[in-house]
């Protein structure tokens, strides 16, 4: 015994290095976890002065087969597509998905988590708003309910995260644009909510430095999730001023690029490849609409299928008590260059 009294399962999980869901499963039924895991828990119980709360253990026995899925905005086809893929995978494993959208609101995001808590879900898959999220409340929720973050990470929350390798995908598309024409400027929101935007900005700066080119940031005013509107409004200003150092613009995401394409059309500028074109425009994400724009949008894809399935599989492993401390804290999937007509 260490002599230190452990007050609850969260503290015991922290000092022992064993995840709370795994401990819950052990205290419900020791034979339900792997022999090696059971041995680690028994050794930790000998080391630390801890006895589980019988009421808390009994509560866990009454967990439902529900798995919550919370995304920033269900009206966004990007999140609708990835959520649908997660739903299908969860249904195949015998669980019931409960899908909720936060409408870009931090208050709604927490309300969704509170509603899920009342349903006693087996676990939750959360794509957080990011910078605007209430980090303290989300962290408290994650301590009570097995949670895996996807799409956007929150660095202050020590939970498993599954997303895209922005360094790789931005470097890939910057390299392509530089090889096939003028080096790109980077069109982004000045104060983005989603942390992926900051990662992509830094990746753009690193790629331009690696290739020996001067970076150029075009920062658009505006907040929230109306990216097309911001791209159109700020894009109109950009093409009107005509002071770009290059004829190539890489947008932080496809939705901004869609707005910029519209602004270029309204200004009478031709977007595409060839000497007769005025601009080249590219994006990131391979948004479901990007193949239907005019011209079709060159972009770097996210691996929706892999992100969805990996997120669900990590959560299910935690629920079954097999994820534990050995599961990776961050899993990133490389993007793929999608060459279309806009650049």
């Amino acid at each position: 015994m260490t002599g230190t009294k452990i007050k609850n399962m969260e503290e015991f999980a922290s000092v022992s290095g064993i995840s709370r869901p795994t401990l819950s499963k052990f205290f419900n039924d020791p034979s339900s976890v792997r022999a090696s895991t059971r041995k680690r828990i028994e050794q930790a119980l000998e080391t630390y002065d801890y006895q589980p709360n019988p009421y808390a253990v009994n509560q866990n026995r009454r967990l439902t087969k529900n798995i919550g899925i919370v995304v920033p905005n269900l009206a966004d086809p990007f999140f609708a597509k990835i959520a649908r893929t997660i739903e299908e995978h969860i249904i195949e494993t015998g669980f019931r998905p409960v899908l909720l959208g936060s409408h870009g609101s931090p208050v709604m995001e927490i309300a969704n988590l509170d509603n899920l808590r009342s349903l006693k879900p087996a676990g939750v898959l959360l794509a957080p708003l990011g910078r605007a999220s209430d980090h303290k409340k989300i962290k408290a929720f994650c301590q009570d309910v097995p949670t895996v973050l996807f799409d956007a990470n929150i660095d202050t929350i020590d939970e498993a995260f599954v997303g895209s390798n922005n360094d790789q995908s931005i470097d890939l598309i910057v390299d392509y644009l530089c090889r096939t024409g003028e080096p790109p400027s980077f069109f982004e929101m000045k104060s983005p909510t989603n942390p992926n935007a900051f990662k992509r900005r830094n990746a753009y700066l690193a790629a331009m430095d690696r290739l020996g080119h001067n970076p150029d940031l075009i920062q658009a005013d505006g907040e929230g999730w109306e990216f097309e509107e911001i791209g159109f409004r700020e894009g109109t200003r950009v093409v009107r001023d005509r002071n770009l150092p290059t004829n190539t613009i890489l947008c932080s995401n496809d939705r901004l690029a869609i707005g910029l394409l519209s602004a270029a059309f309204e200004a009478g500028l031709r977007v595409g490849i060839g000497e007769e074109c005025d601009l080249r425009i590219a994006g990131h994400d391979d948004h479901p609409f990007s193949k239907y724009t005019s011209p079709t949008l060159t972009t770097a894809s996210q691996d929706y299928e892999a992100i969805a399935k990996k997120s669900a599989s990590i959560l299910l492993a935690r629920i079954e008590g097999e994820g534990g401390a050995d599961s990776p804290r961050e899993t990133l999937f490389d993007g793929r260059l999608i060459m279309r007509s806009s650049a």
Side-chain angles (χ1 to χ4, degrees), residues 34-87:
R34 292 175 180 172
S36 59
T37 302
R38 186 164 63 249
K39 184 177 180 181
R40 287 178 59 208
I41 296 173
E42 290 169 347
Q43 289 174 342
L45 287 170
E46 291 179 5
T47 303
Y48 302 100
D49 182 14
Y50 174 67
Q51 292 294 325
N53 181 335
Y55 174 75
V57 171
N58 196 45
Q59 285 290 92
N60 283 332
R61 287 198 183 105
R62 294 200 294 270
L63 291 177
T64 67
K65 297 288 284 185
N66 296 328
I67 288 182
I69 307 169
V70 182
V71 299
N73 195 337
L74 280 172
D76 185 334
F78 169 81
F79 288 111
K81 182 174 181 179
I82 196 169
R84 184 169 65 249
T85 306
I86 291 175
E87 278 186 306

Side-chain angles (χ1 to χ4, degrees), residues 20-247:
R20 190 182 186 282
T22 300
L23 292 172
S24 296
K25 189 169 185 182
F26 169 83
F27 290 128
N28 286 332
D29 178 8
S31 65
S32 66
V33 301
R34 292 175 180 172
S36 59
T37 302
R38 186 164 63 249
K39 184 177 180 181
R40 287 178 59 208
I41 296 173
E42 290 169 347
Q43 289 174 342
L45 287 170
E46 291 179 5
T47 303
Y48 302 100
D49 182 14
Y50 174 67
Q51 292 294 325
N53 181 335
Y55 174 75
V57 171
N58 196 45
Q59 285 290 92
N60 283 332
R61 287 198 183 105
R62 294 200 294 270
L63 291 177
T64 67
K65 297 288 284 185
N66 296 328
I67 288 182
I69 307 169
V70 182
V71 299
N73 195 337
L74 280 172
D76 185 334
F78 169 81
F79 288 111
K81 182 174 181 179
I82 196 169
R84 184 169 65 249
T85 306
I86 291 175
E87 278 186 306
E88 292 170 354
H89 187 62
I90 287 173
I91 291 170
E92 288 174 0
T93 59
F95 286 84
R96 294 185 296 269
V98 179
L99 180 58
L100 299 170
S102 299
H103 305 289
S105 165
V107 175
M108 179 65 75
E109 183 172 63
I110 298 304
N112 285 334
L113 296 180
D114 288 341
N115 289 335
L116 286 171
R117 193 196 300 268
S118 68
L119 295 177
K120 296 189 179 301
V124 169
L125 292 161
L126 170 63
L129 297 175
R131 181 174 60 87
S133 294
D134 188 326
H135 294 193
K136 184 177 180 180
K137 289 184 178 179
I138 290 179
K139 185 174 183 177
F141 177 86
C142 293
Q143 290 174 345
D144 294 337
V145 180
T147 303
V148 173
L149 305 181
F150 69 97
D151 180 63
N153 200 3
I154 297 178
D155 293 334
T156 58
I157 298 176
D158 188 25
E159 295 293 337
F161 168 68
V162 182
S164 292
N165 185 347
N166 289 295
D167 289 341
Q168 176 270 341
S169 56
I170 289 292
D171 186 83
L172 182 70
I173 196 165
V174 169
D175 181 80
Y176 164 76
L177 293 171
C178 290
R179 283 188 290 105
T180 55
E182 295 182 9
S185 294
F186 190 69
F187 185 51
E188 62 171 355
M189 291 171 61
K190 186 181 297 183
S191 302
T193 296
N194 193 301
N196 283 321
F198 292 109
K199 294 176 182 178
R200 292 172 189 176
R201 174 196 300 169
N202 292 335
Y204 163 78
L205 295 173
M208 293 290 280
D209 181 68
R210 179 181 69 80
L211 296 169
H213 299 297
N214 293 323
D216 178 61
L217 298 177
I218 306 170
Q219 297 188 315
D221 290 325
E223 293 188 356
W225 292 84
E226 300 301 323
F227 299 124
E228 293 89 355
E229 178 184 339
I230 295 169
F232 176 77
R233 184 185 66 243
E234 293 297 295
T236 298
R237 175 183 59 80
V238 168
V239 297
R240 180 195 65 218
D241 294 347
R242 304 287 181 93
N243 60 354
L244 289 169
T246 173
N247 70 354

Side-chain angles (χ1 to χ4, degrees), residues 239-314:
V239 297
R240 180 195 65 218
D241 294 347
R242 304 287 181 93
N243 60 354
L244 289 169
T246 173
N247 70 354
T248 304
I249 302 176
L250 171 61
C251 298
S252 179
N253 62 64
D254 285 350
R255 292 182 60 190
L256 281 175
I258 290 170
L260 180 58
L261 283 172
S262 181
F265 176 82
E266 290 291 323
L269 299 178
R270 184 166 183 177
V271 176
I273 306 167
E275 294 182 358
E276 73 282 4
C277 294
D278 303 294
L279 281 176
R280 293 193 304 159
I281 295 174
H284 190 288
D285 291 339
D286 196 23
H287 188 281
F289 291 169
S290 62
K291 66 178 73 173
Y292 302 114
T293 58
S294 181
T296 54
L297 184 63
T298 291
T299 185
S301 71
Q302 294 198 54
D303 194 336
Y304 296 84
E305 189 82 12
I307 293 171
K309 288 189 173 182
K310 187 65 175 179
S311 302
S313 66
I314 290 176

